[in-house]
Every structure is written in C-alpha cells, then in structure tokens.
Amino acid sequence: MSQVNVGLCGLGTVGTGVVKLLKDHADEIKYKVGSEINIKKILVHNLEKERDVAIEREWLTSEPSELVDHPEIDIIIEVMGGIEDTNLLLERAIQNKKHIVTANKDLMAVHGQKLLRLAKENDCDIFYDASVAGGIPIIRSLTDGLASDRIQKIMGIVNGTTNYILTKMTDEELAYEPVLKEAQALGFAEADPTSDVDGLDAARKMTLLANLSFKMEIDLDDVEVTGIRNISQEDITFATSLGYTIKLIGIASIHHGKAEVSVEPTLLPKDHPLALVKNEYNAVYVHGEAVGETMFYGPGAGSMPTATAVVSDLMEAVKNSRLGISGTGYVTPQFEKQLKEDNEKYMQYFIRMEVDDAAGTFQKITNVFTDEDISFAKILQLPSDREKTAEIVMVTHKISKEQLETSRKNLKKLDVVNRIISYYRVDGED
Amino acid sequence: MSQVNVGLCGLGTVGTGVVKLLKDHADEIKYKVGSEINIKKILVHNLEKERDVAIEREWLTSEPSELVDHPEIDIIIEVMGGIEDTNLLLERAIQNKKHIVTANKDLMAVHGQKLLRLAKENDCDIFYDASVAGGIPIIRSLTDGLASDRIQKIMGIVNGTTNYILTKMTDEELAYEPVLKEAQALGFAEADPTSDVDGLDAARKMTLLANLSFKMEIDLDDVEVTGIRNISQEDITFATSLGYTIKLIGIASIHHGKAEVSVEPTLLPKDHPLALVKNEYNAVYVHGEAVGETMFYGPGAGSMPTATAVVSDLMEAVKNSRLGISGTGYVTPQFEKQLKEDNEKYMQYFIRMEVDDAAGTFQKITNVFTDEDISFAKILQLPSDREKTAEIVMVTHKISKEQLETSRKNLKKLDVVNRIISYYRVDGED
C-alpha cells in the first residue's frame, strides 16, 4: 500500500488531537484513502516536555527546516498558530511543493489570499476547514456542497467564548463580568479574552467565509467589528420582551455585486435557527439564491472537533497527492472587491434612550426620525430608575447606516434626550 | 476552454431547475470548474409538451440510447425517478464509462450499492447528494467533511411533508386529517401521500445515510418503519406537557459494530436542535465520536434547492472528468453487515394507557414494569373522559426493545388496563 508522509507543526491541544485521531482511526482512514499516513516529523518548541499522546522521540524537532525541506514529507499540517513566522514557514513549504493543512484562522485571514495564490502557482493545495468553526465542515460545504449557488448572505455564530457568555447572561439573567469569570474558570474563555470578546476572532473567520462566498478578496480591515463588552443585562431584558435574542453575529452579505462584512451584537427573532444555538456551539447560516436557507451547526473549537476537521482535510490532501492532482478546491477570486457604502447598508436597528419624562419628549424624538424618513416596527416606553426620566426602546424598520448615524447625531442634540444607552443591529426577520 | 457534455434524463421540476441554474449561473460555474458545461440531450416522455424553461428543440429525445450510448456525452444527470427501468439505463451508462449524478433516492436505496460497485469497476463516479435532504450537502459532509471521524448516530428529519404536518398539528393544535388536507392544497403533500406519511420515503433516505456512515451494506428491508398516521392531538398534548416535541425521525445508530436503522415518530426534548426544525425543512443531526454533535439544516426538497445539489455534484463530476480521475468519493463498504438484536436496542419509551380508575391499578401496572427491571423518568396520571377510567402516561428510562415488548404483552393481560393507547420512542436526552 502506498505511503504518504506528514510533517506536523505543533503539538498543543489540536496537534495532540490530530495524532490521537490518526492513531485511533488508522484502519478506517487507511481504508478510505487507500494509503498509509505516516507522521515523519513534529515541530515543537520544547523537546523535553511531557506529552499527552504516544509519539516517537525521533519525530520531535525544534527545527522547521526538518519539516519544510524534508524530501520525503508530502504534506505539512500546521496547528501551531502564529502569523508572521508561520507565514514564512508555509511559504517555504509551498515552494517545496508540499500541500498544507492548517487550522490557523489568524494566518489565513491576514495572509490567506496570498498563500492560496502561491499554492496554485506551485501546484499544491491549502486546506483550512479547521480554521473556521472547527467541527463544522463549513469551508467544504461552501466550496463543494453549495458550489453551484450564489451565496447572498452568511450569518455566523463563529466564536464559542462569546456565545457561551451571552447564553449564560440570557438564560441565567447574570451580568457580563461574573459570567466572563465563570467562563474563564471553565476554560471557555482565555485569561486574556480580548480577541474573543472584542470580536476579533470572529472577524478573522468572517473574512475567510466572505472571501469564499463572494469570490472577492475582502481584507480583515474591511470588517467592522463591535464586541460584547458593552451588552448589559437591561439590553437583554428589553430585547427579550420585544421577542428577540442577542447574539454576537458575523454578517457577510452582498447586493448588486457590493459586499459588506461586520461582526456585532445582533438581535435575532427568538425562534430564528441561530437564536437557538447555545453555549460554546457555533453555527453558520447561509442564504443562497437557489437553495434558500441552510444552516451548519456544531462545536466551534476543542481538541477533538478541530482535529477531525484537520484530519478530514488531510485525507483530501492525501487523495489529491496520490492522484497527482491539486487545485481542485481553490479558485482565484472572480470579482474585484467592491464594498457597500454606508448609504447602501440597510438594516433594522434597536435603540435604547434615556429621556426626560415630560410632555413633548416623544414628539421631539419622533420628529428626528421622521426627518430622516425612518419608521418603526416596535416602540416601548418605560419609567426609568431615575426621577423624571424614562426609557424609550425602539426597533426601526430597515434604514441605512447613514440614516442611523444622522439620527444619532440629531438625537444627541435634543435637550430631552439624556443619552443613547445602546443600539444594536436587528436581523433575521426576512 | 474545455467542454464537458451532459445528458439530462428528465425535465420535471428538478430537471427544469437544473437547466435554469446551468443557464443563470453559467459564468460562475464555468469559472469555478474551468470548463464549459453543455447540455447535449434531454430525455423526456413527451416531446411536444410546453416547457417552463428555454431549451433547444434538438436536445429533446424520448430515446434513452441517445444519451447513454452517445459518444460525446461524459456525464448523465438522472432526475426522472423510477427504479427498475432507470436502473437498467444507468447500468448501461456506467458500462459506457459515463459519470452519473442522480437525485433518485428510491433507486439508490434499492440498487445503490450495486450501482456504486459497478461504477468503481468502470472507473466512474455516482454522485447522489440530491437524493437525501435536497438542499443540504449531507452526503458530501459525511463522505468528505467528517471523513476522519466514526459516526455513532444519525437522527434525521428527512421528509418535509411529515415535518410540515407535525409542525402544524403541534403549533396550531389541529388534528391530522385537516392538516394533511391543507398540506395537499399547499403542495407540501402529494395527492397520494402514502410514501411520505407512512415513512417509506424517509426509510429510503436513512438507508443511504446509514450505509455511508457505518460503511456496511444495510438494506431497505432492515429498516423498521412507522409513519405518522396514528399520532393524535392528545399524544402531542401529553408530550408537550412532559417537555417533548414529536417528530418523525430517522434514527441510525451503531454500537460495538452492530447497527440499527428505524423511522418512527419520536419524542425529543423541546430544546433539542432537531425539535426546533419546522415545517417543510429537513435536518440531519450527526453524532461523531471525535467531533461530537453537529447538525445540517436546510430545505429538503423543491425544484431549486434540489437542483443546487445536482449541479454542485455535476461540478465535482466535471472536475474529476477533466482531471481524468474517479472514485475519489466512493469507498466499498469496509464492514460486514451486523444488525442489533431486539435485546441490544436500548431507548426510552413514552407509553399512554387507559386504565380503570380504581385502588390498586397503579400498583399492578408498576409491578409489570418492575418485573422487567424497568424504571421511570416521568409518570403522569390524569382523569380520562370516560367514567371511572384514567389515563397514565409514562416515560421509561432506557430499556431494550425486548423489555418493551414483554411489558406490553403483560400490561394487556392486566384486567385494570383497558388499552395501550400509544407508545413512542423518546430520544435526544443524552
């Protein structure tokens, strides 16, 4: 039986999962791909460290060239993370005609397009399903399963940490800080949770999904990002009473050839499929022109789920390698990047204001909106805690981002408006 | 640019959708596969019939050999249905080394394994993602995306008609007959709904999913099938009050190398991802050993959703054809078929009984279960409409099918039990 040799970069949680899977499912994998898969070298920092999985000592090396320049290694698995050094390492591997399987969303979001082009020039492939929503074969589904369709919109819960936090805040009516602490204690959030809670992790993943779906090179910098730090219990309570659930959603949409990508807290109708995705689970909701609504749901992270994605990609790379082919997946972007302007981005908004509880307040506020041609789906007024003040919560019909910004400025100028407490996008009601 | 020629068998709703997609998305498809795709011939019954889509008259033929023996046709798309004649047609096409893309679950469930073997012998491929849960790339996900994992269990809502009916019965508290009539009027159910409501359609799809997942040749006859005709409003009301939703679920599971496949009305916890799949939507819930829980959700049928699956498969066939390869997907079954015995099938059951409302009734009933070592998760007793009778509803802990059958027999022998009204599997609480 033929043999394929693999160099594994990284032996952390995912790398360990990959070794375990290759070992535990060896027979079935060999049967499926018609080839033995051998780990030849594993790149680690610390050669002496105790490992959670049985490995051969001679596999370990701290020298990248022992993998990327190795004449017998056909495929490099990159599960060590990092951006710039890892980019150089993979460039070298590609120039040496080695296929790449990676779980590195940071790298792919920043350097992905360039690496994909380089791989195509060198007749090899980069597979990266593990880099977005680890256990869900979303990349595969977008490139193959839905290949025939035009993707119009993607809405993704692609960060397990923030979804866990928001689920607990909603279901158990707790505030952000204590839930974050609990998440950290349970391992659902990092000691430094910035990348997750500020939406940066989700933004990187949405960059990849948007590029694939719209076949244009959208950059990380084109993604507007708002995290979850400022979501209060009151926001959640108001949203719930109006029939919504708040989630951190990555939204990528395209209209008349112009795209927009953002990550922001978003109100979804309570019974929207995405609204029901709980805790650390991820889900990607895809709206295709012909297929309609589909959704892919599963674990977003974790050693074994991510390892299944890496090894499934590895099996594809092995099959390609044996057949002497490549490039069955990657397609250079077909379209020039075109992004929507603010006056072309249409969505509903939920706005909370603290106002004077006096005659004429409501009138003055509605005048601001009428001047901008904005009408409402829902309005709620309640007494506030503070004397002689009230809270007004409004859900607009679809308006442009430009209309929103102008209204906000004009509202702030009103003497009756003390402050705009919060405002969020509302989606999923089409 | 290279050209690939296609013969299309059938020009009904799906065939029309395929022609439309190939036309409307021609540029993007051509860009992705690096090839022009030409329809050479279309097989129809009625050459004179008015068509909903623009086609060339010279494409139409009522003679199968003009497709399957055509020297220039590389790929046959089969969307005309039928089993025996279609089987012969495809066998001939395969022997002429043509790749097949089909949406025909009936054919694949009955003759699929044999056709797949024949294709492998002839170095060509059969793609059939459109035959199960049309708009959801589930076959692709099982064979590629989750290739590295061992599938332990699949639970599928794979029939849109029955899911539509049960959703309406549940949400609107209506009885089966009027909902079926409404479904027929709206086009969600056929004039003769037998195949759908008796679970046969779902059984065929589960046969395909089980074969793929467990890598053994399970036959349609191995699937135990119960449809939805006997689900009453009272069943639904009781299930709801105990925290469950009733769905027609196809369940395929494997344990210690032994498989079981069934289609039956099943109670799921109200917040299980499958319980929230409504109306005509399908969903396939996959539990993999390494990945954990994943779910794939989308339209199960419909001209355009099914056409997207057919054309996505076609694009894969075109790529293979251009690269001169085949067999990248199909793997001959790895394991001998082994099915579970009744004493190896463990599940929870919901049982409704009408009993005498008298002292000692409860004791006699619980004795029957205690004798079989059966304990309960939930019990509910309510007065019945009829004088001096009561209803008892019980949810057991996990018991074997054998234990259930013995208990049922023994309960019927009790004088205090008037009748067992209904009983259903309960799943999804793990």
Side-chain angles (χ1 to χ4, degrees), chain A residues 24 28 150 295 297 319 328, chain B residues 24 28 150 295 297 328:
Chain A
D24 293 347
E28 284 112 311
R150 286 185 192 119
M295 193 172 85
Y297 163 101
K319 286 194 282 189
T328 52
Chain B
D24 292 347
E28 283 113 311
R150 286 185 191 119
M295 193 173 84
Y297 162 100
T328 51

Side-chain angles (χ1 to χ4, degrees), chain A residues 37 39 117 127 148 167 175 226 257 288 290 297 379 388 393 395 409 412 417:
Chain A
I37 299 178
I39 296 173
R117 271 197 301 271
F127 296 94
S148 63
T167 304
T226 309
Y297 163 101
I379 304 180
K388 295 198 190 162
V393 177
V395 175
K409 284 201 203 89
K412 283 180 173 168
V417 173

Side-chain angles (χ1 to χ4, degrees), chain A residues 24-25 28 31-32 135 140 144-145 147-148 150 289-291 293-295 297 299 304 308 312 319 328 332-333, chain B residues 24-25 28 31-32 135 140 144-145 147-148 150 289-291 293-295 297 299 304 308 312 319 328 331-333:
Chain A
D24 293 347
H25 295 189
E28 284 112 311
Y31 190 91
K32 270 187 184 174
R140 193 72 64 99
D144 296 345
S148 63
R150 286 185 192 119
E289 192 182 271
V291 75
E293 303 178 22
T294 61
M295 193 172 85
Y297 163 101
M304 295 312 290
T308 58
S312 295
K319 286 194 282 189
T328 52
T332 34
Chain B
D24 292 347
H25 295 191
E28 283 113 311
Y31 190 92
K32 271 187 183 174
R140 192 72 64 98
D144 296 346
S148 63
R150 286 185 191 119
E289 192 182 271
V291 76
E293 300 178 25
T294 61
M295 193 173 84
Y297 162 100
M304 293 315 289
T308 57
S312 295
K319 286 193 281 188
T328 51
V331 178
T332 34

Side-chain angles (χ1 to χ4, degrees), chain A residues 21 24-29 31-33 129 134-137 140-150 212 215 271 273 276 278 281 285 289-299 304-305 307-313 315-316 319-320 323 325-329 331-335, chain B residues 21 24-29 31-33 129 134-137 140-150 212 215 271 273 276 278 281 285 289-299 304-305 307-309 311-313 315-316 319-320 323 325-335:
Chain A
L21 257 189
D24 293 347
H25 295 189
D27 285 344
E28 284 112 311
I29 292 173
Y31 190 91
K32 270 187 184 174
V33 300
D129 224 312
I136 312 172
R140 193 72 64 99
S141 297
L142 285 171
T143 44
D144 296 345
L146 297 176
S148 63
D149 205 359
R150 286 185 192 119
L212 259 183
K215 289 155 285 186
D271 55 5
L276 306 159
K278 293 201 178 257
Y281 278 87
Y285 173 93
E289 192 182 271
V291 75
E293 303 178 22
T294 61
M295 193 172 85
F296 303 85
Y297 163 101
M304 295 312 290
T308 58
V310 171
V311 178
S312 295
D313 274 354
M315 292 167 73
E316 183 88 359
K319 286 194 282 189
N320 282 3
L323 293 165
I325 61 167
S326 73
T328 52
V331 178
T332 34
Q334 186 176 357
F335 304 109
Chain B
L21 257 189
D24 292 347
H25 295 191
D27 285 345
E28 283 113 311
I29 292 174
Y31 190 92
K32 271 187 183 174
V33 299
D129 224 312
I136 314 173
R140 192 72 64 98
S141 298
L142 286 171
T143 44
D144 296 346
L146 297 175
S148 63
D149 205 357
R150 286 185 191 119
L212 258 183
K215 289 155 286 186
D271 56 4
L276 305 158
K278 293 200 179 260
Y281 277 88
Y285 173 93
E289 192 182 271
V291 76
E293 300 178 25
T294 61
M295 193 173 84
F296 303 84
Y297 162 100
M304 293 315 289
T308 57
V311 179
S312 295
D313 273 354
M315 291 166 74
E316 183 87 0
K319 286 193 281 188
N320 283 4
L323 293 167
I325 60 164
S326 71
T328 51
Y330 178 66
V331 178
T332 34
Q334 185 176 358
F335 305 109

Side-chain angles (χ1 to χ4, degrees), chain B residues 5-192:
Chain B
N5 295 317
V6 163
L8 176 63
C9 300
L11 198 54
T13 46
V14 179
T16 301
V18 169
V19 175
K20 279 185 180 163
L21 257 189
L22 285 174
K23 190 172 182 325
D24 292 347
H25 295 191
D27 285 345
E28 283 113 311
I29 292 174
K30 187 163 81 181
Y31 190 92
K32 271 187 183 174
V33 299
S35 212
E36 279 195 6
I37 299 179
N38 302 319
I39 296 174
K40 208 94 176 132
K41 283 289 177 193
I42 303 181
L43 181 66
V44 296
H45 292 301
N46 182 346
L47 294 164
E48 302 309 319
K49 183 180 173 184
E50 280 294 312
R51 301 288 169 183
D52 279 341
V53 66
I55 48 170
E56 307 290 327
R57 296 298 299 163
E58 69 225 24
W59 289 350
L60 293 180
T61 176
S62 55
E63 184 46 64
S65 63
E66 286 194 38
L67 278 77
V68 300
D69 293 335
H70 197 305
E72 291 167 43
I73 284 179
D74 309 290
I75 300 170
I76 297 287
I77 297 177
E78 188 276 295
V79 290
M80 64 184 186
I83 302 183
E84 297 310 327
D85 287 348
T86 309
N87 175 50
L88 293 174
L89 187 151
L90 292 187
E91 278 187 348
R92 189 164 177 84
I94 292 167
Q95 280 151 354
N96 289 334
K97 315 292 182 194
K98 299 183 192 321
H99 296 290
I100 311 291
V101 176
T102 178
N104 194 333
K105 62 160 182 314
D106 299 332
L107 173 68
M108 289 305 289
V110 175
H111 292 298
Q113 287 293 340
K114 180 218 63 201
L115 285 171
L116 286 163
R117 272 197 300 270
L118 186 68
K120 194 172 166 96
E121 285 163 24
N122 284 278
D123 291 320
C124 46
D125 284 312
I126 303 179
F127 296 94
Y128 56 104
D129 224 312
S131 61
V132 182
I136 314 173
I138 182 63
I139 304 288
R140 192 72 64 98
S141 298
L142 286 171
T143 44
D144 296 346
L146 297 175
S148 63
D149 205 357
R150 286 185 191 119
I151 308 301
Q152 296 174 316
K153 186 170 182 179
I154 293 193
M155 297 211 292
I157 293 175
V158 290
N159 180 271
T161 300
T162 46
N163 201 50
Y164 178 87
I165 291 172
L166 288 175
T167 304
K168 289 292 177 253
M169 285 178 72
T170 304
D171 290 356
E172 293 170 31
E173 295 179 23
L174 299 165
Y176 171 72
E177 282 294 336
V179 174
L180 171 59
K181 278 194 175 54
E182 187 201 0
Q184 286 168 320
L186 291 171
F188 287 123
E190 311 271 345
D192 176 6

